[in-house]
Amino acid sequence: MFAFLLVIHAIIAAALVTVILMQRSEGGGLGMGGSPSGLMSARGAADFLTRATGVLGTMFVLFSILLAVLAANHRTTTIDTSLARTPAAATAVPTAQPKGDAAPFAGGAENAGAPAAATAPADNGAVPLAR
């Protein structure tokens, strides 16, 4: 029912835009060319378009309110998981020191408890603070 009302709302909006564009403005409307001796006179067409604009505008506002109320009261009991992402596989973070000649501490016995000084800036884009 909500989809049907949404389609009707879109049709009303398109009709409202059309009726507004057909009205005569100071420079002339889109649909008001030609002679006034047609089916309707210029004055009769202006009255009809003015009345149609009011009716369509009122219907547009009422449908907007109705759709908002229906959307607020609509309770879904299931969750649509069609667009859900699959959980990424956890990447293994090495916790042990790398093997090889890399020393965990810089210097000799005098700096045995101090961590090694960083020789390159971090890859995360942060600017190191001066001490």
Side-chain angles (χ1 to χ4, degrees), residues 1-3 5-6 9 59-75:
M1 180 167 140
F2 187 78
L5 291 176
L6 198 59
H9 187 65
M59 288 174 58
F60 182 82
V61 169
L62 292 177
F63 264 82
S64 297
I65 293 170
L66 177 66
L67 287 171
V69 168
L70 287 176
N73 290 336
H74 185 65
R75 305 268 187 236

Side-chain angles (χ1 to χ4, degrees), residues 44-98:
D47 288 342
F48 172 74
L49 291 176
T50 303
R51 185 172 296 126
T53 303
V55 169
L56 287 171
T58 303
M59 288 174 58
F60 182 82
V61 169
L62 292 177
F63 264 82
S64 297
I65 293 170
L66 177 66
L67 287 171
V69 168
L70 287 176
N73 290 336
H74 185 65
R75 305 268 187 236
T76 57
T77 56
T78 60
I79 297 175
D80 182 19
T81 59
S82 63
L83 297 176
R85 293 183 180 176
T86 58
T91 58
V93 179
T95 56
Q97 289 291 331

Side-chain angles (χ1 to χ4, degrees), residues 94-114:
T95 56
Q97 289 291 331
K99 295 180 181 178
D101 291 340
F105 299 105
E110 67 275 355
N111 290 333

Side-chain angles (χ1 to χ4, degrees), residues 11-23 30-31 49 53 56:
I11 292 171
I12 290 172
L16 183 62
V17 168
T18 304
V19 168
I20 288 172
L21 288 177
M22 287 176 59
Q23 290 183 11
L30 291 178
L49 291 176
T53 303
L56 287 171

